Amino acid sequence: MNIIAAADLNWGIGKDGDLLDSIPEDMKFFREKTSGCAVIMGKNTFLSFPNQKPLPKRLNIVLTSDETFKPEGVTVCRSMEEAVEAAKKEYEDEKIFFIGGESVYREAEKFADTAYITKIDKKYEADRFLLNFDEIENWYVSNEEMVKTEKGIYITFVTYKKER
């Protein structure tokens, strides 16, 4: 299973319920990686989507304890274990992605064996943070590619793998 996220130099991922920045190259990478897959997210991540609609061409699984939350086109689960089980009914592990937010990423670390992190070479004011994969024991960098974006910001697509 996979974690996918974009983080700034301080491992910040969001502020006030939104992404830190909208970087077209990162958005394209996200679409390419997750299209045709299962995506597991928290309720706030889902609510941050345009028009609060599920991501197209994906099985959208939302974690929440809110019993009244039942958006169309979404599988709602009450626990990470239930969400993983729902994803595994239709997809192999390599086609399951945890896409946020902060608490989902923290819990997902024990399930995932790959993390696709877009490192943004900039510091933002953030109130939500990702785990620092450079400091987590048994995770290592398996690939990285730096790109200068249209906005002039450098980003690095880093693939981390978990040692077995």
Side-chain angles (χ1 to χ4, degrees), residues 13-27:
I13 57 171
K15 171 93 168 121
D16 298 329
D18 208 351
L19 296 175
L20 296 176
D21 201 346
S22 178
I23 301 171
E25 294 86 350
D26 177 54
M27 297 296 187

Side-chain angles (χ1 to χ4, degrees), residues 6-99:
D8 76 355
L9 291 171
N10 292 321
W11 293 89
I13 57 171
K15 171 93 168 121
D16 298 329
D18 208 351
L19 296 175
L20 296 176
D21 201 346
S22 178
I23 301 171
E25 294 86 350
D26 177 54
M27 297 296 187
K28 180 180 182 225
F29 179 78
F30 177 87
R31 276 191 310 276
E32 288 173 354
K33 283 287 180 198
T34 64
S35 188
C37 298
V39 290
I40 298 172
M41 71 200 87
K43 178 182 172 185
N44 290 338
T45 297
F46 177 80
L47 293 175
S48 74
F49 293 169
N51 303 316
Q52 299 177 355
K53 298 282 185 205
L55 296 174
K57 300 178 183 163
R58 298 166 190 89
L59 170 62
N60 286 251
I61 300 171
V62 177
L63 283 162
T64 182
S65 58
D66 181 351
E67 300 281 338
T68 65
F69 186 74
K70 296 176 182 165
E72 193 174 313
V74 169
T75 300
V76 176
C77 294
R78 306 287 175 232
S79 70
M80 181 65 82
E81 289 74 17
E82 183 185 348
V84 167
E85 191 177 302
K88 284 185 168 198
K89 284 181 183 174
E90 296 187 43
Y91 293 94
E92 298 293 321
D93 282 6
E94 60 272 3
K95 294 269 195 181
I96 300 170
F97 286 82
F98 300 98
I99 67 167

Side-chain angles (χ1 to χ4, degrees), residues 92-112:
E92 298 293 321
D93 282 6
E94 60 272 3
K95 294 269 195 181
I96 300 170
F97 286 82
F98 300 98
I99 67 167
E102 181 180 52
S103 61
V104 169
Y105 286 136
R106 292 191 185 286
E107 202 174 342
E109 191 271 332
K110 67 183 173 216
F111 293 94

